[in-house]
Amino acid sequence: MQKQEHLTKNQQIVLDLVEKSSEPLKAYSILFNVQKKGLKAPLQVYRALDKLVEIGKIHKVESRNAFVACKNSSCQVSKATAFSICESCEKVTEINNSKLSKYLNNFQDNSGMKYSKYNLEFFGLCKKCKNK
Amino acid sequence: MQKQEHLTKNQQIVLDLVEKSSEPLKAYSILFNVQKKGLKAPLQVYRALDKLVEIGKIHKVESRNAFVACKNSSCQVSKATAFSICESCEKVTEINNSKLSKYLNNFQDNSGMKYSKYNLEFFGLCKKCKNK
DNA sequence: AATTTTTTGTTATAATATAACATTATGTAA
DNA sequence: TTACATAATGTTATATTATAACAAAAAATT
Ligand SMILES: [Zn+2]
Ligand SMILES: [Zn+2]
Ligand SMILES: [Zn+2]
Ligand SMILES: [Zn+2]
């Protein structure tokens, strides 16, 4: 079986929802929203999410346990992600900065470890919240 | 009340355990291990963890929902953390690299956001696991 | 000593995620 | 085109992680 190149029904339903959303979605909020489409159990959602993360269509924002659609040609299949997170309004934006990704993809320390993947989350106040 | 400079009993008990550990500890594993010392409920552990994270004595490894003691003079009170994580043996090491922290502390993009904090997690195979 | 703030103790419950197993669908190859 | 292997689904139950709400005790501030 060759590498999956099309999404299954459940995966497509979950992806559509996450892509439409202007904010990160939590798994159980996704579940609630796709129940009318027939996904009735948490596992159906988590399985779709797992696959979508694996193929880089979405990312998990770890500090928030929430999911966002990739805005960045699938981020080398989810191997290199960076986000900015506003600690006041919780707005999350995927950072697309080639200098940053280059720096991090090439990062090495003296541990002898070869890093194949990273996730970076920046926190602060967004423009709007800063001016309040 | 001035900023807390000593740890309370519960905080100290939890910190001692996390510092003794050679691997990241999960909250409920901590709970199990401190029950003989009188911390019987999850909240007692979570409260201690929250405070210890806040003052930079420990960090949360977000992708693992686990906690490690800071090895790095309390990481500017937990505002700038980086970890390397082996995806095979789950070994987690706090990265202490001044170039990296300088780069990330000074990072700016065009969003107008001022970042006051970051967390970075690198994934790969450690030396040991690579040679298997 | 009175006041405020922080920490604690406690019970209950919310939120997040996976185990286990049976079934169906899909891709691969003889 | 049938057998085989792999991947996806459906379902129930349960494990894991984390917080709400409230009362009481301890510590710092005035
Ligand atoms: Zn992306
Ligand atoms: Zn904001
Ligand atoms: Zn640290
Ligand atoms: Zn390893």
Side-chain angles (χ1 to χ4, degrees):
Chain A
M1 188 183 269
Q2 71 183 107
K3 191 167 177 182
Q4 185 190 359
E5 57 202 31
H6 75 282
L7 299 177
T8 66
K9 179 168 138 284
N10 287 359
Q11 291 160 11
Q12 190 64 58
I13 288 170
V14 170
L15 179 58
D16 286 347
L17 185 69
V18 176
E19 282 184 333
K20 269 194 329 215
S21 174
S22 62
E23 55 183 18
L25 292 180
K26 306 208 145 211
Y28 275 72
S29 146
I30 292 170
L31 175 58
F32 179 82
N33 278 284
V34 297
Q35 282 184 330
K36 57 182 92 79
K37 307 229 171 182
L39 285 83
K40 288 181 290 190
L43 254 195
Q44 298 176 291
V45 169
Y46 278 106
R47 283 170 179 158
L49 288 171
D50 284 351
K51 177 59 76 172
L52 291 168
V53 166
E54 186 191 323
I55 64 180
K57 292 287 188 184
I58 65 173
H59 304 307
K60 183 172 186 182
V61 183
E62 290 287 356
S63 67
R64 299 300 186 260
N65 295 320
F67 299 85
V68 294
C70 178
K71 296 290 166 51
N72 190 1
S73 46
S74 295
C75 280
Q76 307 159 62
V77 191
S78 261
K79 294 267 180 286
T81 49
F83 300 96
S84 87
I85 301 173
C86 175
E87 290 187 295
S88 170
C89 70
E90 293 294 323
K91 181 174 158 61
V92 172
T93 310
E94 186 168 1
I95 294 175
N96 184 357
N97 183 296
S98 58
K99 268 191 182 166
L100 177 65
S101 57
K102 199 169 175 180
Y103 184 89
L104 292 175
N105 276 314
N106 292 329
F107 178 78
Q108 291 209 33
D109 58 15
N110 51 15
S111 70
M113 221 168 138
K114 173 82 190 85
Y115 300 120
S116 55
K117 196 166 131 187
Y118 68 79
N119 178 58
L120 171 59
E121 298 181 6
F122 280 110
F123 304 90
L125 292 178
C126 75
K127 230 171 183 171
K128 243 170 142 178
C129 292
K130 213 167 34 185
N131 298 326
K132 269 177 190 164
Chain B
M1 188 184 269
Q2 72 183 105
K3 191 168 178 183
Q4 184 189 0
E5 59 201 29
H6 75 283
L7 299 178
T8 66
K9 180 169 138 284
N10 288 359
Q11 291 160 11
Q12 190 65 57
I13 289 169
V14 170
L15 178 59
D16 286 347
L17 185 70
V18 176
E19 281 182 336
K20 269 195 330 218
S21 174
S22 61
E23 54 183 18
L25 292 180
K26 305 208 147 211
Y28 276 72
S29 146
I30 293 171
L31 175 58
F32 178 81
N33 279 285
V34 297
Q35 280 182 331
K36 57 182 91 80
K37 307 229 170 181
L39 284 83
K40 288 180 290 188
L43 252 195
Q44 296 175 291
V45 169
Y46 277 106
R47 281 170 180 158
L49 288 172
D50 284 351
K51 177 60 74 170
L52 291 168
V53 166
E54 185 191 322
I55 64 181
K57 291 286 188 184
I58 66 174
H59 304 306
K60 182 173 187 182
V61 184
E62 290 287 355
S63 67
R64 299 301 187 257
N65 294 321
F67 299 85
V68 294
C70 178
K71 296 290 166 49
N72 190 1
S73 47
S74 294
C75 278
Q76 306 157 63
V77 191
S78 260
K79 296 269 181 282
T81 51
F83 301 95
S84 87
I85 302 174
C86 176
E87 290 186 296
S88 169
C89 70
E90 293 293 324
K91 181 174 159 60
V92 172
T93 310
E94 186 168 1
I95 294 174
N96 184 357
N97 183 296
S98 58
K99 268 191 185 169
L100 177 65
S101 57
K102 199 168 176 182
Y103 184 89
L104 292 175
N105 276 314
N106 292 328
F107 179 78
Q108 291 209 33
D109 58 15
N110 50 17
S111 70
M113 221 167 138
K114 173 83 190 82
Y115 300 120
S116 55
K117 196 167 136 189
Y118 68 78
N119 178 57
L120 170 60
E121 298 181 6
F122 280 109
F123 305 90
L125 291 178
C126 75
K127 232 172 178 171
K128 244 172 143 178
C129 292
K130 213 166 34 182
N131 298 325
K132 272 182 189 161

